[in-house]
Amino acid sequence: MLSHSQSRNFSLNQPAGAPSVARSTRTLLSRVFLFAALLALAGLCAFAQDASPAKHAGGEANLVLPDFSQATFLDGVSGRTLLMGGLAVGFLGLLFGLLMYKHLQNLPVHKSMLEVSELIYETCKTYLLTQGKFLLILELFIGVIMIFYFGVLQHFEFIKVAIILLFSLVGIAGSYSVAWFGIRVNTFANSRCAFAALRGKPYPCYAIPLQAGMSIGMLLISVELLLMLFILLFVPRDYAGPCFIGFAIGESLGAAALRVAGGIFTKIADIGSDLMKIVFKIKEDDARNPGVIADCTGDNAGDSVGPSADGFETYGVTGVALISFILLAVKDPLVQIQLLVWIFSMRIMMVVASAGSGMLSSAVHIRCRSSRDTRAWQASIRRLRPWPSTSRSITKPLGDTSISR
């Protein structure tokens, strides 16, 4: 046990070390940036020394897309025209997600609940800003590695390496933006759902979280679809490979960092709230617990930020993998076009089927169950099964598989 004078001396001496810690942190960061700059300079020097770059046939960065206008579908419609129609569908899906966001924002909510949800969001925003700085530092190191690998070892042209770096930043920005949107929608939906539960009816407790998930999911797949269609349609065919590989690297990096960091943060916040419960002899979710907001922020970081970024990355990386597999395994350009247009037609129909099935399911449940008042909460929620949306999402894409013939 420290005496009163010892503890007072300790508290007085503690702030004196704070400037030294900050100074050492700045020194460490400056050394990190200097090391990264030296590695980047070494890569640029290797570019300048290599007068005859070698040409490699393998790898995603060397892929060359076929001309989509050479194949026709549906009685004379070119593949490029079909994919251009996908841009319109992607914008409509993006609009659907934003409209659902505004609908959730305009739902009634109690002032006290709104204050709590906004406090949680502000804490989440601080967490996301910190993660953004960390991602930029991480991208600096990964960028140096990409320069060394593609520029020095693979002897790529400078413009291709620059495209890979640029689209890696686009991938990181996509994962980060979707994660931010997801945490904003979730903090909206939390307070609105809690207020709706006061009415004693089960349907709003089912519908509001479902609408929040639809908003995030529709925006996620629409943004991903628009980015990939932009590369397929507007980027020169011999530069599409570097765009895809850079995009895949960036979104994978962003998703991995946000997923792992979110999981660690939620565990630390949960343990901190538990410790406060032990120290102050109050419940974990009691408003008087100083760790409860951190715990709620950790829940959002672990269950919203990570999965949203991970879903964006999964949807994009699987698309890049399918494109790479088709271009490397199939030699006939006409068959390549048929398979690529078929795959992206299915992705386009996913947006249409998801929006249609969601609205159909909501209409059915509103008509059949929204007015019921019951105390059997769990049984009532279990009866609200999404059979209309599930069957529609499965049968609609399967019914359109003849588009590539």
Side-chain angles (χ1 to χ4, degrees):
M1 294 291 292
L2 292 174
S3 64
H4 178 69
S5 59
Q6 288 176 325
S7 61
R8 193 164 66 92
N9 291 334
F10 178 77
S11 63
L12 290 174
N13 293 333
Q14 188 176 6
S20 62
V21 173
R23 191 162 48 250
S24 62
T25 303
R26 288 194 298 268
T27 303
L28 177 62
L29 288 176
S30 62
R31 291 177 180 176
V32 166
F33 282 108
L34 178 62
F35 177 70
L38 290 175
L39 287 180
L41 182 62
L44 293 175
C45 292
F47 274 127
Q49 293 176 0
D50 193 2
S52 59
K55 185 176 181 180
H56 297 268
E60 295 88 343
N62 293 285
L63 298 177
V64 178
L65 291 174
D67 186 1
F68 290 102
S69 61
Q70 292 181 353
T72 58
F73 306 84
L74 301 175
D75 298 329
V77 180
S78 68
R80 183 177 180 85
T81 303
L82 278 177
L83 295 180
M84 290 290 288
L87 292 174
V89 173
F91 280 114
L92 290 175
L94 187 62
L95 180 62
F96 182 90
L98 293 176
L99 289 176
M100 193 68 69
Y101 167 85
K102 293 300 295 183
H103 168 71
L104 291 170
Q105 187 180 17
N106 294 330
L107 288 176
V109 60
H110 193 273
K111 181 181 178 181
S112 299
M113 296 179 179
L114 181 62
E115 290 177 355
V116 173
S117 65
E118 289 301 311
L119 178 59
I120 295 172
Y121 171 67
E122 290 299 322
T123 314
C124 293
K125 190 164 66 173
T126 303
Y127 164 78
L128 283 173
L129 290 173
T130 305
Q131 286 296 327
K133 297 175 185 177
F134 170 72
L135 281 174
L136 290 177
I137 297 175
L138 195 59
E139 169 66 7
L140 184 65
F141 282 101
I142 300 299
V144 171
I145 294 172
M146 286 190 288
I147 290 174
F148 180 77
Y149 177 77
F150 291 108
V152 179
L153 300 181
Q154 296 295 319
H155 305 288
F156 275 23
E157 302 172 1
F158 176 79
I159 183 64
K160 285 194 173 183
V161 178
I163 289 174
I164 293 174
L165 292 173
L166 174 63
F167 274 84
S168 68
L169 290 173
V170 172
I172 290 177
S175 294
Y176 186 77
S177 302
V178 169
W180 192 301
F181 181 79
I183 211 168
R184 174 72 277 196
V185 172
N186 282 343
T187 48
F188 272 157
N190 290 340
S191 55
R192 273 71 176 178
C193 185
F195 183 72
L198 298 177
R199 301 175 184 173
K201 295 182 179 180
Y203 178 73
C205 302
Y206 159 85
I208 293 176
L210 182 63
Q211 291 168 359
M214 288 174 59
S215 175
I216 299 169
M218 287 295 292
L219 185 130
L220 184 153
I221 61 176
S222 298
V223 170
E224 187 81 54
L225 181 65
L226 288 172
L227 288 173
M228 299 197 75
L229 286 177
F230 174 82
I231 297 174
L232 286 173
L233 295 172
F234 301 111
V235 173
R237 293 186 292 122
D238 53 340
Y239 287 109
C243 293
F244 279 126
I245 189 64
F247 183 61
I249 291 173
E251 60 184 354
S252 298
L253 177 65
L258 292 172
R259 184 74 161 179
V260 174
I264 295 173
F265 183 88
T266 186
K267 295 303 179 186
I268 294 175
D270 190 36
I271 294 172
S273 182
D274 289 337
L275 292 176
M276 292 297 102
K277 175 179 64 176
I278 296 172
V279 171
F280 292 103
K281 309 297 183 184
I282 54 178
K283 295 182 179 180
E284 180 180 356
D285 295 327
D286 195 308
R288 297 171 297 170
N289 189 338
V292 69
I293 297 298
D295 191 15
C296 293
T297 303
D299 291 338
N300 279 280
D303 300 332
S304 176
V305 172
S308 298
D310 197 23
F312 184 85
E313 179 265 343
T314 301
Y315 189 77
V317 168
T318 51
V320 174
L322 287 170
I323 293 171
S324 303
F325 177 76
I326 290 170
L327 295 181
L328 294 174
V330 179
K331 301 303 180 184
D332 188 353
L334 183 60
V335 179
Q336 289 179 352
I337 296 171
Q338 289 179 336
L339 292 174
L340 289 174
V341 171
W342 179 80
I343 286 173
F344 277 90
S345 297
M346 292 301 99
R347 292 191 161 212
I348 293 168
M349 293 311 302
M350 276 179 59
V351 179
V352 178
S354 297
S357 59
M359 291 187 291
L360 177 63
S361 178
S362 298
V364 170
H365 291 313
I366 288 175
R367 183 177 179 85
C368 298
R369 303 185 184 275
S370 62
S371 61
R372 293 193 177 184
D373 190 359
T374 177
R375 293 181 180 274
W377 290 84
Q378 294 182 355
S380 181
I381 292 295
R382 283 197 299 268
R383 285 196 294 269
L384 293 171
R385 295 171 181 171
W387 293 122
S389 59
T390 304
S391 59
R392 186 65 175 167
S393 296
I394 294 174
T395 57
K396 180 61 178 175
L398 292 178
D400 294 320
T401 53
S402 60
I403 195 171
S404 62
R405 300 302 303 168

